[in-house]
Amino acid sequence: MKPIDPKLIQKHLLKITGQSLYIHLETTNGAYATHKNEDFFSAGAFIRNVQLTFLQGKITGEGPYRIGLETELGWLYAEGLTEWELDTQDRLLLAGHDAEGKLAIALQMSASPFPK
């Protein structure tokens, strides 16, 4: 993955606007930290292969970045994104890592389902 170039991401979001996509969205603040520290409050979210079509997509911020996808009935936001890549299957993969390099958030979009 490479550091996010917001202009390239915005260009890609425009390209895939209106397409039916499979979404993977994952956040974590260190779920496994509770094994080492019982006082650590763990929180996170995980969805995979949720289909949506967005009407518009925007990337905002100075880095870390936020991406918002407006659907017919609402919005999907992902905040804290720092790196990205287009993989060999043309899937848009975005991630945000904390100061220790641990994954904090992932947002991925694909025209075909992600593996289970």
Side-chain angles (χ1 to χ4, degrees):
M1 300 190 100
K2 53 193 168 194
I4 285 178
D5 178 334
K7 290 180 182 176
L8 290 176
I9 298 300
Q10 187 62 57
K11 185 177 175 182
H12 193 75
L13 291 173
L14 287 172
K15 178 182 166 189
I16 60 176
T17 296
Q19 296 180 16
S20 179
L21 299 170
Y22 292 88
I23 302 295
H24 172 85
L25 177 62
E26 177 178 0
T27 66
T28 180
N29 67 346
Y32 299 105
T34 56
H35 297 296
K36 295 179 181 176
N37 180 357
E38 293 177 357
D39 294 329
F40 183 82
F41 181 80
S42 175
F46 182 95
I47 62 169
R48 189 165 183 88
N49 289 324
V50 172
Q51 272 189 289
L52 67 79
T53 302
F54 62 87
L55 306 173
Q56 71 168 321
K58 290 184 179 180
I59 183 167
T60 61
E62 301 295 322
Y65 297 94
R66 175 169 47 168
I67 289 181
L69 305 176
E70 181 183 16
T71 67
E72 188 172 315
L73 298 175
W75 285 87
L76 178 151
Y77 283 103
E79 187 167 307
L81 299 165
T82 54
E83 290 96 27
W84 78 288
E85 71 178 49
L86 276 178
D87 71 3
T88 57
Q89 298 177 48
D90 205 32
R91 299 181 297 196
L92 180 58
L93 311 176
L94 301 126
H97 296 91
D98 68 14
E100 297 175 2
K102 295 177 183 172
L103 181 68
I105 185 166
L107 172 63
Q108 303 175 345
M109 301 174 222
S110 173
S112 58
F114 293 100
K116 249 184 168 177

